[in-house]
Amino acid sequence: GQQLNQSPQSMFIQEGEDVSMNCTSSSIFNTWLWYKQDPGEGPVLLIALYKAGELTSNGRLTAQFGITRKDSFLNISASIPSDVGIYFCALSNDYKLSFGAGTTVTVRA
Amino acid sequence: NAGVTQTPKFRILKIGQSMTLQCTQDMNHNYMYWYRQDPGMGLKLIYYSVGAGITDKGEVPNGYNVSRSTTEDFPLRLELAAPSQTSVYFCASSPGRGRAASTDTQYFGPGTRLTVL
């Protein structure tokens, strides 16, 4: 699979905070995807990006496809408790996906 | 539509035992996939299929086998279970080429948690 570096590995959120995470790849790709996995469930697609520089929103989530086509960012605005879970970036290579290691989001006590 | 269903949800195997993880989708998708998820490692592709009768290896196929006799079903077979196969297994499907929805939208099942002791 492709080398994907996702950071941070984990983060704590407080309700109302804005948080962000990012992914970088070793190669250029045409499609970046962001998935979320709730505990005990399979991943669900949040946002798909198909063009360098593209900025796409899905509710409080915003993702950007980097100009270099080697990176992507996901921002969550005004966090709420149900934002906890694992967020994965993924690259599409033809019809196969390569996933990053994930960012685990936890609510700060 | 039930989407992608997987059975069983949980299973404990002894070393050397065999089992089949079942996966069924009712969305008439051409493409189906099997992934394994280990803690902190993301999802790794085991096998995939682009249509009935066609399967191919992914990134981590060793120790597994698959078959695709129908569009709906894509079972994953473990012949000689080993502790290294302890993981959560996810099946997914996507529409495939020439469909209205992007092939990048993969729909995942709820997973099978397998422990090999």
Side-chain angles (χ1 to χ4, degrees), chain A residues 18-85:
Chain A
D18 296 345
V19 298
S20 63
M21 58 198 78
N22 68 81
C23 264
T24 59
S25 73
S26 54
S27 304
I28 291 174
F29 286 90
N30 294 322
T31 303
W32 278 96
L33 306 166
W34 285 93
Y35 280 81
K36 184 194 177 196
Q37 183 180 28
D38 289 326
E41 303 288 332
V44 174
L45 181 67
L46 296 174
I47 294 178
L49 301 160
Y50 299 103
K51 195 166 32 173
E54 181 180 356
L55 187 72
T56 298
S57 293
N58 178 5
R60 294 176 296 102
L61 277 62
T62 302
Q64 183 161 25
F65 192 151
I67 291 292
T68 65
R69 292 164 62 194
K70 286 187 172 184
D71 59 359
S72 180
F73 303 86
L74 176 70
N75 296 312
I76 305 172
S77 62
S79 303
I80 60 178
S82 62
D83 288 334
V84 302

Side-chain angles (χ1 to χ4, degrees), chain B residues 69-111:
Chain B
S69 57
T70 67
T71 299
E72 295 78 19
D73 301 306
F74 190 40
L76 177 72
R77 178 85 178 160
L78 283 71
E79 289 295 348
L80 290 169
S84 61
Q85 293 178 305
T86 294
S87 189
V88 182
Y89 291 85
F90 288 100
C91 180
S93 71
S94 66
R97 299 175 192 271
R99 301 292 190 95
S102 166
T103 60
D104 303 315
T105 305
Q106 291 191 15
Y107 298 84
F108 284 80

Side-chain angles (χ1 to χ4, degrees), chain B residues 52-64:
Chain B
I54 306 169
T55 63
D56 210 343
K57 296 178 180 179
E59 190 179 350
V60 289
N62 291 345
Y64 308 94

Side-chain angles (χ1 to χ4, degrees), chain A residues 35 37 50 88 92 94-95, chain B residues 31 33 37 48 90 97 104:
Chain A
Y35 280 81
Q37 183 180 28
Y50 299 103
F88 293 101
S92 177
D94 202 0
Y95 39 74
Chain B
Y31 292 4
Y33 311 82
Q37 183 179 24
Y48 64 98
F90 288 100
R97 299 175 192 271
D104 303 315

Side-chain angles (χ1 to χ4, degrees), chain B residues 4-79:
Chain B
V4 179
T5 57
Q6 292 182 240
T7 57
K9 288 191 183 303
F10 304 94
R11 185 71 185 268
I12 298 174
L13 283 182
K14 294 182 179 178
I15 294 172
Q17 284 185 320
S18 62
M19 78 163 292
T20 300
L21 281 66
Q22 302 291 346
C23 175
T24 301
Q25 53 92 8
D26 63 0
M27 298 174 282
N28 200 29
H29 286 170
N30 285 328
Y31 292 4
M32 296 188 74
Y33 311 82
W34 273 105
Y35 295 89
R36 60 176 287 170
Q37 183 179 24
D38 300 310
M41 299 291 289
L43 283 81
K44 302 289 186 185
L45 182 64
I46 305 171
Y47 269 95
Y48 64 98
S49 167
V50 300
I54 306 169
T55 63
D56 210 343
K57 296 178 180 179
E59 190 179 350
V60 289
N62 291 345
Y64 308 94
N65 277 301
V66 293
S67 60
R68 184 97 181 269
S69 57
T70 67
T71 299
E72 295 78 19
D73 301 306
F74 190 40
L76 177 72
R77 178 85 178 160
L78 283 71
E79 289 295 348

